[in-house]
Amino acid sequence: ISKLKSEQEELMPIADHKSALLDLKTEHREIIIDLRDQMRAAEKISTELKSQIAVYIEEKTKLLEEKCKLEKEVEEKELLVESCTKSSDKEIELEKKMLDFKDAAQKEKSRLLTELERLMG
């Protein structure tokens, strides 16, 4: 009996080691399962981010196209305003010339009437 107890005491550390190894193996499996779950979650997040980035790029592209379109419209309207301003300036210049011509004609008329009265008179 004492020999059996002695052998049992010798075998106890081995059993404890075996139990500890089994615990480590179980813990290792749990860690692997947890890492796989984390990898799946990371892949889902990565996929969602890629999708959001694609949507962002598409929206940004649309906004840039709209910006270019609006800039072109503004440029066309600025050219139209410039053209109208030039036309308006030309009209004002023509009106001034016409007024100058009328003034000169009135002066010439007055001079001719004065000359006519002098000759007749």
Side-chain angles (χ1 to χ4, degrees):
I1 292 178
S2 72
K3 187 176 180 182
L4 285 173
K5 282 186 179 180
S6 169
E7 285 179 12
Q8 186 180 11
E9 287 175 6
E10 285 178 23
L11 293 175
M12 280 302 268
I14 294 172
D16 288 344
H17 285 301
K18 187 175 181 181
S19 175
L21 285 173
L22 287 173
D23 289 346
L24 282 174
K25 191 175 181 181
T26 303
E27 190 177 323
H28 185 255
R29 282 187 186 143
E30 290 172 357
I31 289 171
I32 289 173
I33 291 169
D34 187 45
L35 285 174
R36 285 183 185 153
D37 290 345
Q38 288 180 12
M39 284 177 59
R40 282 188 205 104
E43 286 174 6
K44 285 182 182 178
I45 291 170
S46 174
T47 302
E48 179 62 28
L49 284 174
K50 286 177 185 175
S51 173
Q52 289 178 2
I53 288 170
V55 168
Y56 169 79
I57 289 171
E58 185 178 325
E59 289 176 359
K60 178 103 177 177
T61 301
K62 286 179 184 177
L63 288 173
L64 286 172
E65 288 171 353
E66 184 67 21
K67 180 184 174 195
C68 288
K69 181 181 171 188
L70 290 173
E71 285 174 344
K72 186 175 180 180
E73 285 179 21
V74 166
E75 188 177 312
E76 288 172 357
K77 290 184 181 190
E78 285 174 343
L79 288 173
L80 184 61
V81 166
E82 186 179 323
S83 173
C84 289
T85 302
K86 285 180 181 177
S87 294
S88 179
D89 289 348
K90 286 181 181 178
E91 287 175 15
I92 291 170
E93 191 177 312
L94 283 173
E95 283 183 31
K96 285 182 182 176
K97 285 182 180 180
M98 219 165 27
L99 288 174
D100 289 346
F101 180 76
K102 282 182 181 179
D103 189 42
Q106 188 65 33
K107 286 180 182 176
E108 183 63 18
K109 180 180 172 185
S110 291
R111 187 189 69 76
L112 288 174
L113 284 174
T114 306
E115 184 67 25
L116 184 63
E117 283 179 11
R118 187 183 66 75
L119 289 173
M120 293 185 72

